[in-house]
Amino acid sequence: MPAPLRRAVRRWFDSRYISLTDHRQDIEDTLREVQTLGREVTGLRTEIDRLRAQVAKAGVDQAQARRWDDAHRLAQETAVAMDGVLQNEVLLWQAVDRLPSPGPDRSPGQAVDRLPGGASSPGPERSSGGPA
C-alpha cells in the first residue's frame, strides 16, 4: 500500500474515531498498567517461594499428615452421606405430596386408602401407646 494512501486512511480513522495523541496516551496508560501488573506478579511469586520454603522448613510429621488425611476422608464420607440423606428427604416429601388429601367424608387419620406395597390402611389412627 502506498505511504500517502496509508497516511490518509490512518488520518481518516484517527479523525473519525480517536485522535492520535489520545491513542498514544491510551497505549502509554496500558503499558504502565502492564508494568504494574508485572511487578505485582513478581511480588506474588516471591511470596509463594517464601511460603513454600517456610512449609518445607517446618515439615509435616507423619502423625499430623495421617490426621489430616483422616479428616479429609471423613469429610468426604460425611458429604456423601448427607447427600444421600437429602435425596431421601426429597423422595419422602415427593411421596407425601402425592398422597390424596382428606375428603369431606374422611377424618385426617383416614386420608390414606392404601399403603405402599398394596396393603390396606388400618382405618383409624393407631394410638402411640406401643406396637400393635
Side-chain angles (χ1 to χ4, degrees), residues 70-132:
D70 286 342
H72 185 258
R73 180 186 51 80
L74 289 172
Q76 287 180 324
E77 289 175 5
T78 302
V80 168
M82 279 303 297
D83 186 48
V85 167
L86 292 174
Q87 288 177 5
N88 288 338
E89 184 178 6
V90 167
L91 293 174
L92 175 72
W93 283 110
Q94 287 174 347
V96 167
D97 287 342
R98 284 192 300 266
L99 291 176
S101 61
D105 59 336
R106 292 187 192 156
S107 68
Q110 295 175 332
V112 178
D113 293 332
R114 292 222 170 264
L115 295 174
S120 296
S121 66
E125 273 186 16
R126 291 191 283 185
S127 66
S128 61

Side-chain angles (χ1 to χ4, degrees), residues 13-126:
F13 275 124
D14 287 343
S15 67
R16 182 143 176 109
Y17 296 106
I18 188 170
S19 70
L20 192 56
T21 55
D22 289 342
H23 187 64
R24 285 186 179 138
Q25 185 63 43
D26 287 345
I27 290 174
E28 289 173 8
D29 291 343
T30 304
L31 179 62
R32 252 185 260 113
E33 191 166 335
V34 167
Q35 290 170 342
T36 301
L37 289 173
R39 286 190 296 273
E40 288 179 14
V41 167
T42 302
L44 288 172
R45 283 185 183 147
T46 303
E47 181 71 12
I48 288 171
D49 291 341
R50 184 187 67 78
L51 290 172
R52 282 184 179 153
Q54 185 178 356
V55 167
K57 187 189 320 180
V60 177
D61 63 347
Q62 292 301 318
Q64 190 175 25
R66 280 193 301 276
R67 284 193 307 269
W68 288 344
D69 289 342
D70 286 342
H72 185 258
R73 180 186 51 80
L74 289 172
Q76 287 180 324
E77 289 175 5
T78 302
V80 168
M82 279 303 297
D83 186 48
V85 167
L86 292 174
Q87 288 177 5
N88 288 338
E89 184 178 6
V90 167
L91 293 174
L92 175 72
W93 283 110
Q94 287 174 347
V96 167
D97 287 342
R98 284 192 300 266
L99 291 176
S101 61
D105 59 336
R106 292 187 192 156
S107 68
Q110 295 175 332
V112 178
D113 293 332
R114 292 222 170 264
L115 295 174
S120 296
S121 66
E125 273 186 16
R126 291 191 283 185

